[in-house]
Amino acid sequence: MSTTTYLPTRDHMVVTKGKRRNDTIHSAVVVSLQDVSPTTKAFDLQVGKTADGEGFFFSPGQWLDVFIPGLEVIGGFSLTSTPKQLVLTGRVSLAVKYSTWPPAHWFHTECTVGSELNIRCGGDFVLPENPNGDLVFLAGGVGINPIASMIFHLMEINYEHSITLLYTAKTEQELLFKARFDELQLRYPKFCAHYFVTEETSGANEPAGVQSGFQKRRIVGADFKNHSDSSVILFVCGPPSLIDLAKSQSNMYHQIKFEEWWTSA
């Protein structure tokens, strides 16, 4: 298992100090966990109400402050689920990559079904209040997490405009949610996903009708050309190099929104 070592200067609470966050902290219980890649585990959390009955809520793209008993470091993890899932099941979902950062390490080495913790949501990396136009999403590695929440939400509300995903990871196995994205492409003609892998991998096996395959290379500026327009909003979440690449193409879009609260070395 590869290890990501997080810089101590990138403390979640420090980096997100100026971001909006809810005032209320809610209790939560881990109700399921599973491996979704060689380095990443997915977790479902059942969220409790406060003593006065206040329910939990969030917007697609936001993250959780995660307060883990026995840990001084407060975790920060983007939600991968949708508000509709929360309404229907009372649950929210996370995908956590293994690292030496104490909260992530806890999820991978100590967390079990039944583990209790406290959560609070926040973040400004969200969809416009009333999106009305084509959208492009650029994700690198686990930067797919908030973007997945947004895309799944847009599919649930039958968003009528074009949605394009450009998604890069080290290997095909690290392309989280790929099977779900491929299935969505079959159901929603206006959604298209393009995958890129930067290390050796086996060939692609897309379902019939899926046109997007993956390419064994890094995303470059030219990949933006077919998905850009002065009316399009670009959403980006990933390592600094990917964000810098997107910024270099800023003149091609109406607006670019970044999630920059996390980084790694």
Side-chain angles (χ1 to χ4, degrees), residues 13-202:
M13 297 303 293
V14 173
V15 175
T16 62
K17 184 178 181 180
K19 305 294 184 180
R20 63 169 170 161
R21 52 176 24 101
N22 294 349
D23 295 328
T24 306
I25 295 176
H26 290 258
S27 62
V29 178
V30 177
V31 293
S32 72
L33 57 88
Q34 63 176 321
D35 293 324
V36 292
S37 87
T39 65
T40 304
K41 289 181 180 290
F43 301 84
D44 285 338
L45 312 179
Q46 189 77 38
V47 184
K49 293 185 177 181
T50 61
D52 59 5
E54 180 180 349
F56 182 82
F57 65 91
F58 72 96
S59 296
Q62 289 191 303
W63 35 253
L64 293 182
D65 295 331
V66 180
F67 304 86
I68 300 169
L71 285 186
E72 294 184 4
V73 180
I74 298 172
F77 302 99
S78 291
L79 290 153
T80 62
S81 51
T82 65
K84 181 177 181 179
Q85 177 184 326
L86 175 63
V87 170
L88 293 176
T89 68
R91 298 179 180 184
V92 296
S93 302
L94 304 174
V96 180
K97 186 172 183 177
Y98 179 84
S99 85
T100 57
W101 186 46
H105 194 261
W106 178 86
F107 270 106
H108 275 260
T109 62
E110 298 184 47
C111 179
T112 62
V113 171
S115 291
E116 299 179 353
L117 36 77
N118 292 306
I119 60 174
R120 174 178 59 197
C121 84
D124 302 318
F125 186 64
V126 296
L127 295 165
E129 186 172 347
N130 295 298
N132 184 27
D134 294 349
L135 304 174
V136 176
F137 296 89
L138 175 60
V142 289
I144 191 63
N145 289 348
I147 286 174
S149 176
M150 291 182 188
I151 291 175
F152 298 154
H153 169 73
L154 291 166
M155 298 296 103
E156 289 174 349
I157 65 172
N158 294 310
Y159 191 66
E160 62 182 10
H161 299 280
S162 172
I163 301 171
T164 301
L165 171 64
L166 305 175
Y167 180 17
T168 180
K170 288 184 177 181
T171 68
E172 182 186 7
Q173 288 182 305
E174 295 295 344
L175 289 169
L176 307 182
F177 311 110
K178 183 178 184 296
R180 187 169 177 184
F181 290 138
D182 288 344
E183 188 271 334
L184 289 173
Q185 290 184 90
L186 298 175
R187 292 170 50 197
Y188 298 93
K190 291 188 177 181
F191 172 59
C192 186
H194 301 269
Y195 308 110
F196 302 80
V197 295
T198 57
E199 295 182 0
E200 185 177 356
T201 183
S202 59

